[in-house]
Amino acid sequence: MAQPDRPLSPHLQVYRWQITNTLSILHRLTGVALGAGTLLMAYWLIAIAAGPEAFATAQGFVGSIVGRIILLGFTFALAFHFSNGIRHLFWDSGRGFELSAVHTSGWIVVIASAILTLAIWILGYAVRGAL
Amino acid sequence: MSLRTPLGRARGLGSAKNGTQHWWHQRLTALALLPLAVWFVVSLITLADATYEDVIDWLSSPIVAGLMLLLIFAMFMHLKIGLQEVIEDYVHSGWRKVASLVFVTFGTITLGLACALAVLWVWLVG
Ligand code: HEM
């Protein structure tokens, strides 16, 4: 059993934030956030099964300003977790561990998640004929 | 003195008790989620201006319903293992850890089942 007052590693008060540990904790945060997102997905699916009125209510919420901001957050969380997930699976193949490679793949993930998020929303608005 | 070998004593004694299986299933579900997540997001984009009837038509196709069931299964399994790992990292006291693990297990199974039943309902009944 762990002792509650043992020092933490990394020593958070003196640890310099850098891309490696930032993306590492972001993977965990986005994973947990997407877990919360499954609540919305469950609500959406159940609303479809429940009938047109329930579906209209769900669409009304998702289409509102608050709903869209939440959806944008989930889009980014998925885009990041997806891109960084590929990075993780690549590491699991035993490759890409040189420090320079870790930094390069990290920045690729950052740029890819931004582009994916933007592309998804631009396409979504295009389908709605709002562009 | 114990007659068990050090390996025998260590085996299965990580904080998860069966770590390698969780590790492997987390990778398998991640691999499955790669194409499934792309498919789902693309579907949602094409449904951006859909009416209720469009959505019902979409979900009533056996291919769509089947892919949704695969997505739901892989996603909630991945989520259950993932949240369990987070809890094992941060929650150390006995009853708190057990309670969180029970909550995560019940929660993900219930939610996953609810999603699957909704899909099956639209596909086969609705
Ligand atoms: C889209 C495809 C996805 C891929 C490729 C993917 C990949 C991964 C990988 C490789 C890990 C292990 C990371 C590690 O060892 O530290 C992981 C962890 C995790 N994933 Fe995913 N994932 C995906 C989707 C999802 C979704 C949809 C959810 C939520 C419903 C989710 C929730 C989590 C959680 C909670 C963890 C644990 C985080 C941790 O231990 O730090 N993932 N994911």
Side-chain angles (χ1 to χ4, degrees), chain B residues 51 57 66 80 96 113 116:
Chain B
T51 63
D57 278 351
K80 178 187 168 288
R96 248 186 264 253
L113 201 61

Side-chain angles (χ1 to χ4, degrees), chain B residues 45-114:
Chain B
I45 292 173
T46 62
L47 290 172
D49 69 338
T51 63
Y52 181 66
E53 284 69 35
D54 296 336
V55 177
I56 292 289
D57 278 351
W58 172 74
L59 197 50
S60 304
S61 131
I63 293 178
V64 170
L67 286 173
M68 278 304 292
L69 291 176
L70 282 179
L71 169 69
I72 290 164
F73 183 74
M75 190 174 79
F76 282 100
M77 186 162 166
H78 183 84
L79 178 62
K80 178 187 168 288
I81 302 169
L83 290 180
Q84 200 166 333
E85 192 177 320
V86 173
I87 289 169
E88 279 149 7
D89 279 353
Y90 299 138
V91 186
H92 301 298
S93 97
W95 70 267
R96 248 186 264 253
K97 178 167 158 181
V98 171
S100 339
L101 291 175
V102 168
F103 177 76
V104 161
T105 306
F106 285 6
T108 48
I109 291 177
T110 307
L111 215 54
L113 201 61

